[in-house]
């Protein structure tokens, strides 16, 4: 015969020895001294009435909660929420059986408040009492319970050891970390609660309490009249994704009138593809969806699987992205995923280089040039140089630098005529590889540019190319007021040990006090030139 | 509306001595009005990155205005692009501080004088909230940093509370959200009675909120509000993000006696009310505020309510409020 000790001991992992096993607060029953608080001292305008100690406050509220009229009981329950601790928790849990729904609600809100402030219930019997209120007739109480699941789960699901007496002998045995059977049943029933928020919360948190979601219940919730519940249920498909009824239901939902549901179906079909090949078919069908956003999402997911996308579908994606205003996360996903279409994606990115959103244009230009090797054909990227947004131009220039081959006269002319300094700087950089004819025509235009960086870049290119009369140009540039220009000229002259160094020496001798002269002397010394 | 916007932009340009080319007008028309957002540290984490784009998208869907849903970020008020756009949005909680060099202060003054509108979100923040930045509180006074900033921009002016009947609260939407605005089934709107009563009568009566504003040349050129951006964001499925819980002040029997005597271990703070009187907030160390003593001697307790229906309601309210502010800025 097995006889359980009437006072059997339950040892829980991590238990402290305080009442009800809760994490100890800073001596909740200790009286509070107002004057000991520095923060209060700084606020002299506040009244300082004579106050009771915390223990007295909690005791008084506890009395009101048990013996007061309904209104007083509600007030006491609200007040106790401000005093986290084992005593107040026990009082609030006790009030969960109050005949007044208002008191039960106030108690549950106060328990939630304590949990949110970092004092969740930890004692298993108290937590189980709270969870049992999942069967409360008041919907607000049930909502609070389901919303609190993440906060109470550690107490609810704790395992441990217990001592029982079997045939007169003490036996230690483990207590499984499972939900009590009656509470488990309550949770299963709550999947079908009349209130949608209760159903939704339970769907969100059922894994915390290790309550499996049966396939039949999942199918039923996938067809829930409430869309939030449906969306939540769609997020739980993976656990039963291979089951035929679930696949059928997902197929049905792929033509749901609500776009949000259909978009979620795309995600689900993508993630569930590994469990059942039928999901790939659902995605294919969804590329024919009436909404271009859904079409686009389905198509990019197929492209990521390596499927070739039909031309008409690509055209719809292009139109969708062109009509999109700004970079929502959905648009961003599609925009980047177009790359998965390979060469088919080039035309989409090309079209998007004229989008109204600068961010979209930047990405489109980068992808377009990258996928099409567009840096080899100036006519492909030259239109981007007149973009009004500097960020877009920067993105293009970043893709071009170091890759552009020799530019022709009219191409370089277009860059030189740009109103944007960043483009003209790029023109100066391309002088290094430009046609001689183009160089002759535009080199000097850039050399007198209003922007210092344009001039210095051009000067550097001239130094490298050693154009006719370059030493004279550099020598004159040493007289420039701008240190950047002087520095570039000096660097160029130093590369020629004969004419260049000679010119530099002459400059230093003639302008010993000039700002660049000190550096020039040091450089000449380094070369062994005296 | 679009024409008005263009006229507005023309106004800015003509006063700054520039001429807008026809091409730029076309560009503006095609891409919509761009909101300039100040982020003094462009690499800093934004608290509500989805908020403003979502709000602008909603405005495009629900009104005939056209906003570029891609806000333009600037890190300095001297950025020339500021003068090209009519509205500057600043989430004060996203800034490392509100101390600007003299040239930026001058640029801000110039911007407001030439027709620009400045919206200081989180420009009101009750001191007792501490580092808990994600909360709003209906104090009727700008935060000290904002006060200090504008004392340098306009020493002769000060922020004044906007009355509940101000046009900014009804420039497009009027009143509080209805069921259909909540995106949930009609039979689901079950805000707890205490929450609903408080919201309708005290928290946001007729869809208004605590705003303070500053006029320049007779025009409301700058407003400051408690944080509203937390209620604008939507995810890719159109669901509101992040979840919002309500702090409400509610009463019960015996509170006047009980709270007068009840213990507390935190500080007390004074907060300016709409009528200029002061509430005294009691707090507990490391916790959210406890209760309030109102100037009429009544004691009430703070309770936080959360849940789908509450979050939806708050989001619908903040979005409507945000739309009203931006549309007011364009129309006035």
């Amino acid at each position: 015969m097995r006889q359980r000790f009437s006072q059997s001991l339950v040892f829980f992992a991590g238990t402290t020895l305080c009442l009800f096993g809760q994490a100890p607060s800073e001596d909740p029953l200790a009286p509070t001294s107002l004057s000991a608080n520095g923060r209060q001292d700084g606020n002299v305008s506040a009244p300082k009435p004579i106050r009771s100690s915390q223990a007295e406050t909690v005791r008084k509220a506890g009395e009101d909660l048990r013996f007061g009229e309904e209104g007083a009981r509600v007030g006491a329950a609200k007040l106790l929420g401000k005093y986290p601790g084992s005593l107040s928790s026990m009082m609030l849990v006790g009030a969960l059986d109050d005949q007044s729904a208002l008191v039960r609600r106030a108690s549950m809100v106060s328990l939630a408040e304590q949990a949110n402030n970092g004092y969740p219930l930890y004692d298993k019997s108290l937590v189980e009492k709270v969870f049992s209120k999942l069967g409360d007739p008041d919907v607000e109480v049930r909502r609070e319970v389901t919303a609190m699941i993440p906060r109470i789960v550690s107490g609810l699901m704790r395992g441990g050891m217990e001592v029982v007496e079997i045939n007169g002998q003490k036996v230690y045995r483990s207590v499984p970390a499972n939900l009590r059977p009656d509470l488990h049943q309550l949770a299963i029933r709550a999947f079908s609660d009349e209130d949608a928020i209760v159903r939704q919360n339970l769907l969100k948190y059922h894994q915390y309490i290790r309550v499996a979601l049966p396939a039949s219940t999942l199918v039923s919730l996938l067809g829930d009249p409430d869309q939030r519940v449906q969306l939540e249920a769609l997020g739980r498909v993976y656990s039963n994704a291979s089951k035929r009824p679930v696949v059928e239901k997902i197929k049905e939902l792929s033509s749901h009138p609500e776009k949000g549901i259909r978009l979620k179906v795309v995600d689900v079909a993508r993630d569930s593809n590994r469990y059942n090949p039928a999901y790939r078919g659902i995605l294919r069908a969804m590329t024919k969806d009436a909404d271009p956003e859904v079409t686009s999402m389905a198509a990019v997911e197929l492209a990521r699987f390596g499927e070739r996308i039909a031309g008409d579908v690509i055209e719809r994606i292009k139109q969708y992205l062109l009509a999109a205003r700004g970079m929502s996360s959905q648009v961003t996903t599609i925009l980047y995923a177009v790359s998965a279409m390979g060469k088919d994606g080039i035309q989409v990115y090309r079209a998007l280089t004229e989008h109204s959103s600068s961010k979209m244009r930047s990405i489109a230009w980068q992808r377009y040039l990258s996928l099409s090797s567009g840096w080899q054909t100036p006519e492909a990227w030259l239109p981007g140089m007149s973009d009004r947004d500097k960020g877009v131009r920067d993105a293009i220039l970043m893709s071009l630098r170091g890759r552009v081959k020799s530019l022709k006269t009219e191409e370089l002319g277009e860059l030189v005529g740009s109103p944007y300094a960043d483009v003209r700087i790029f023109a100066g950089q391309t002088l290094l590889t430009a046609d001689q004819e183009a160089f002759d025509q535009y080199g000097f235009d850039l050399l007198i540019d209003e922007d210092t960086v344009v001039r210095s870049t051009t000067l550097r290119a001239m130094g490298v190319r050693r154009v006719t009369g370059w030493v004279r140009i550099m020598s004159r540039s040493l007289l420039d007021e701008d240190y950047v220009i002087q520095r570039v000229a000096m660097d160029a002259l130093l590369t020629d040990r004969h004419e260049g160094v000679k010119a530099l020496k002459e400059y230093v001798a003639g302008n010993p006090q000039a700002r660049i002269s000190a550096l020039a002397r040091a450089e000449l010394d380094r070369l062994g030139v005296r | 509306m679009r024409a008005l916007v263009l006229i507005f932009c023309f106004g800015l340009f003509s006063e700054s001595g520039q001429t807008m080319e026809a091409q730029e007008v076309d560009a503006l028309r095609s891409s919509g009005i761009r909101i300039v957002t100040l982020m003094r540290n462009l690499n800093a984490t934004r608290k509500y990155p989805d908020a403003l784009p979502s709000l602008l998208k909603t405005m495009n869907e629900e009104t005939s205005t056209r906003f570029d849903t891609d806000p333009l970020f600037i890190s300095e008020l001297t950025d020339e692009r500021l003068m090209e756009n009519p509205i500057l949005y600043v989430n004060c909680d996203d800034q490392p501080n509100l101390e600007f060099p003299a040239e930026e202060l001058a640029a801000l003054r110039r911007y407001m004088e030439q027709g620009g509108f400045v919206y200081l979100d989180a420009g009101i923040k009750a001191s007792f909230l501490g580092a808990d930045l994600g909360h709003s509180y209906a104090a009727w006074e700008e935060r000290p940093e904002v006060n200090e900033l504008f004392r340098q921009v306009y020493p002769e002016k000060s922020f004044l509370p906007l009355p509940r009947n101000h046009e900014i609260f009804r420039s497009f939407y009027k009143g509080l959200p209805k069921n259909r605005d909540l995106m949930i089934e009609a039979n689901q709107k079950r805000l707890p009675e205490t929450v609903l009563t408080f919201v309708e009568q005290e928290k946001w009566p007729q869809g208004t909120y605590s705003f303070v504003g500053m006029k320049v040349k007779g025009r409301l050129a700058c407003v400051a509000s408690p944080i509203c951006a937390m209620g604008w964001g939507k995810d890719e499925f159109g669901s509101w993000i992040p979840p919002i819980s309500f702090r409400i002040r509610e009463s019960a029997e015996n509170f006047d006696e009980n709270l007068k005597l009840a213990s507390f271990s935190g500080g007390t703070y004074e907060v300016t009310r709409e009528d200029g009187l002061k509430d005294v907030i009691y707090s507990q160390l490391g916790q959210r505020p406890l209760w309030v003593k109102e100037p009429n001697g009544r004691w009430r307790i703070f309770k936080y309510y959360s849940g789908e229906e509450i979050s939806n309601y708050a989001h619908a309210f903040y979005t409507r409020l945000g739309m009203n502010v931006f549309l007011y800025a364009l129309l006035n």
Side-chain angles (χ1 to χ4, degrees), chain A residues 185 246 252 283 287 290 305 315 322 476:
Chain A
Q185 282 307 312
V246 175
E252 186 187 319
L283 280 177
T287 60
F305 288 137
E315 183 58 30
L322 278 171
R476 293 291 299 273

Side-chain angles (χ1 to χ4, degrees), chain A residues 32 34 37 39-40 43 45-47 49-54 57 60 64 69 71-72 74-75 77-79 81-84 109-110 113 116-117 119 139-140 143-144 196-197 200 204 225-226 228 231 260 263-264 267 293 325-327 329-330 356-359 388-389, chain B residues 27 30-32 34 60 66-70 182-185 188 190-192 194 236-237 239-240 250-255 258-270 280 282-285 287-291 293 299 301-306 308-309 312:
Chain A
T32 307
L34 291 181
N37 191 314
R39 285 174 65 186
Q40 274 178 264
N43 199 329
S45 59
I50 298 165
R51 294 182 169 273
S52 62
S53 69
Q54 187 166 318
T57 303
K60 172 77 169 50
D64 284 351
E69 295 296 314
V74 170
K78 288 177 181 175
L79 184 56
K82 305 297 180 192
Y83 297 95
V109 169
S110 283
E113 184 179 9
N116 288 337
N117 280 333
Y119 296 92
V139 67
E140 301 296 345
R143 284 180 182 182
E144 286 291 343
I197 290 174
Q200 187 185 341
K204 258 188 217 168
D226 183 272
R228 300 300 175 100
L231 278 172
L263 284 170
K264 184 74 181 173
D267 282 352
E293 190 177 348
R325 300 232 156 233
M327 295 280 288
S329 49
Q330 196 88 20
S356 59
S357 159
S358 56
K359 215 169 183 179
R388 69 185 165 116
D389 200 309
Chain B
S30 65
S31 60
R34 206 153 188 202
N60 284 346
R66 276 293 156 265
F67 286 93
D68 190 328
T69 54
D70 190 20
L182 303 184
M183 294 174 56
I184 52 176
E185 297 293 306
Q188 271 195 43
R190 300 260 307 267
L191 288 185
T194 44
E236 54 266 45
F237 305 116
S239 303
W240 298 111
E250 54 180 35
S251 197
E253 283 181 26
N254 294 342
F255 265 10
N258 287 343
L259 295 182
K260 198 184 294 177
L261 296 173
S263 67
F264 68 102
S265 62
T268 53
Y269 301 89
E270 286 189 344
V280 181
Y282 287 73
S283 70
Q284 189 96 340
L285 286 175
Q287 289 185 36
R288 288 163 165 173
L290 295 179
W291 55 73
K293 184 189 179 192
W299 293 76
I301 204 159
F302 285 114
K303 279 284 167 184
Y304 285 78
Y305 286 82
S306 57
E308 197 82 28
E309 72 284 37
N312 285 345

Side-chain angles (χ1 to χ4, degrees), chain B residues 221-251:
Chain B
C222 177
V223 293
S225 71
I227 182 73
C228 291
M230 69 177 173
W232 297 343
K234 284 182 179 176
D235 65 13
E236 54 266 45
F237 305 116
S239 303
W240 298 111
I241 47 171
I244 298 177
S245 57
F246 274 177
R247 171 183 47 245
I248 72 165
R249 290 188 303 222
E250 54 180 35
S251 197

Side-chain angles (χ1 to χ4, degrees), chain B residues 63 103 114 126 174 201-202 222 240 243 246 271 275 307 326 329:
Chain B
T63 72
E103 56 271 27
Q114 294 188 1
K174 295 176 182 64
Q201 295 176 6
E202 296 182 54
C222 177
W240 298 111
F246 274 177
V271 177
D275 54 12
F326 280 107

